[in-house]
Amino acid sequence: RTQRLPFVVAALAALLSLQQSAERLTGLAPMPTPRACCSSCASLNWNARLALIVSPINMVGVGLTESTMAAFAFLITRSNFLVGLSSTVSGLALLLVAPCAGCLADRV
């Protein structure tokens, strides 16, 4: 790890010098920081930003889990009805547990 650190620092320095050279050659202003170009996100606190970043990642995981579970159920049973039933039971369990988990999370 420590052997890679000088390489990373050198690469970052090279990128920074390339950006500064391009700015001098083109006469363009540097790119604004994300906070400067997104005023609606600048008013959010760190927890809200983190939730906006993590939620799409979480939904990808949920989608992969649900589709894998459906494929596994089909491989075991070879029945479309049982695949639908397993998906329905999974969704109902989430529907029943989510409100209680939300209340518990609000209290913590």
Side-chain angles (χ1 to χ4, degrees):
R1 239 181 186 179
T2 57
Q3 294 172 344
R4 293 185 201 167
L5 187 61
F7 174 74
V8 171
V9 171
L12 290 174
L15 286 174
L16 182 61
S17 67
L18 281 174
Q19 179 185 4
Q20 291 171 348
S21 299
E23 290 168 5
R24 279 194 302 267
L25 288 174
T26 59
L28 296 175
M31 292 291 293
T33 60
R35 290 185 185 187
C37 66
C38 184
S39 62
S40 62
C41 290
S43 64
L44 297 175
N45 67 10
W46 172 249
N47 291 334
R49 287 185 203 162
L50 191 61
L52 288 174
I53 292 168
V54 172
S55 291
I57 297 169
N58 180 34
M59 292 312 296
V60 168
V62 169
L64 288 172
T65 303
E66 290 294 323
S67 61
T68 304
M69 188 172 71
F72 185 66
F74 184 76
L75 284 175
I76 290 175
T77 63
R78 298 286 182 199
S79 168
N80 290 332
F81 173 75
L82 291 176
V83 170
L85 183 65
S86 69
S87 296
T88 302
V89 169
S90 167
L92 287 176
L94 183 63
L95 184 67
L96 293 174
V97 171
C100 298
C103 289
L104 182 65
D106 286 342
R107 292 180 187 200
V108 172

